[in-house]
Amino acid sequence: MIRTQIQLTEEQALALKKMAAARNESTASLIREAVNLLIESVQDASRAVRIEKALAVAGRFTSEQKDLSLRHDSYLFEEHHP
């Protein structure tokens, strides 16, 4: 692990200390948990944006291939491996 230093308000430090005592954990473990939750929420939001963008373009294009939805992998392979 990497050691780091942070600054908290008095209210944050007191609340964190009380939570740590109630859960019988260290304040450091609670901070790591909070950081993990923040990272996950940002990644989830990013994933949601990608899904939204993908759904926005779904069905907007046409093809002469009538079985494209069934054979898309074959068509892509054939295109890149002539």
Side-chain angles (χ1 to χ4, degrees):
M1 284 194 212
I2 298 174
R3 186 178 197 103
T4 190
Q5 183 175 356
I6 63 169
Q7 293 182 329
L8 302 173
T9 65
E10 288 183 31
E11 295 82 15
Q12 290 171 324
L14 182 60
L16 188 61
K17 188 174 182 178
K18 286 181 181 179
M19 285 178 64
R23 292 173 59 169
N24 198 28
E25 294 183 39
S26 68
T27 55
S29 70
L30 293 181
I31 292 170
R32 285 191 296 271
E33 183 180 337
V35 168
N36 285 336
L37 288 172
L38 176 62
I39 291 168
E40 289 172 11
S41 71
V42 169
Q43 289 172 340
D44 287 347
S46 175
R47 182 176 186 272
V49 168
R50 290 193 313 271
I51 289 171
E52 187 177 314
K53 286 180 179 180
L55 291 174
V57 299
R60 294 185 67 196
F61 303 95
T62 59
S63 171
E64 294 176 13
Q65 304 298 333
K66 301 300 181 197
D67 60 350
L68 184 59
S69 64
L70 298 173
R71 294 192 55 230
H72 53 79
D73 288 335
S74 298
Y75 288 123
L76 285 171
F77 182 83
E78 291 167 9
E79 183 69 27
H80 293 286
H81 298 88

